[in-house]
Amino acid sequence: MTSQTRMASTDELETIFQRELATDRWAATETAYALAVRHRDLGDWPASREWVQQCLRLLEGFPSETEEQVATGRTSVGDVQLPTYLHSGVVKERFGTLG
């Protein structure tokens, strides 16, 4: 089966992030996570670290007591798979000392 989703560039994801930051902070948090993954996969550790930190800062503004509160709204962003649940523990587990 062929994927119909085109991989978005980091520039495209950053544009999406800026738009979402003004309209939907949870979507922006998901996109920040996707940017951290994309930069890590490209070997750009400094940029990945910046996006991990941005994601963690955004997550601080959301409650995280229940699974429903941390469930992602999308399965992927720009062809980057999102975790089912997005909270600081998941980010730190996936990025280790990078964060």
Side-chain angles (χ1 to χ4, degrees):
M1 179 184 259
T2 304
S3 172
Q4 298 297 316
T5 307
R6 182 183 67 79
M7 186 179 291
S9 71
T10 55
D11 288 342
E12 289 170 317
L13 286 173
E14 287 183 29
T15 298
I16 291 167
F17 172 80
Q18 292 301 327
R19 184 175 57 244
E20 290 171 344
L21 195 57
T23 60
D24 184 343
R25 290 182 67 83
W26 183 255
T29 304
E30 293 175 346
T31 301
Y33 175 88
L35 276 156
V37 170
R38 180 63 50 77
H39 281 291
R40 179 191 64 195
D41 291 350
L42 293 170
D44 187 345
W45 306 114
S48 182
R49 185 175 299 111
E50 287 177 28
W51 285 105
V52 166
Q53 291 168 349
Q54 177 68 42
C55 182
L56 290 171
R57 278 192 299 272
L58 286 166
L59 284 170
E60 289 175 2
F62 293 100
S64 60
E65 289 81 36
T66 68
E67 287 182 353
E68 185 176 89
Q69 292 171 327
V70 297
T72 51
R74 303 174 280 185
T75 57
S76 67
V77 173
D79 209 30
V80 173
Q81 294 299 307
L82 296 176
T84 304
Y85 302 108
L86 186 56
H87 54 81
S88 62
V90 168
V91 174
K92 290 173 183 174
E93 178 183 304
R94 302 260 173 113
F95 290 91
T97 59
L98 187 61

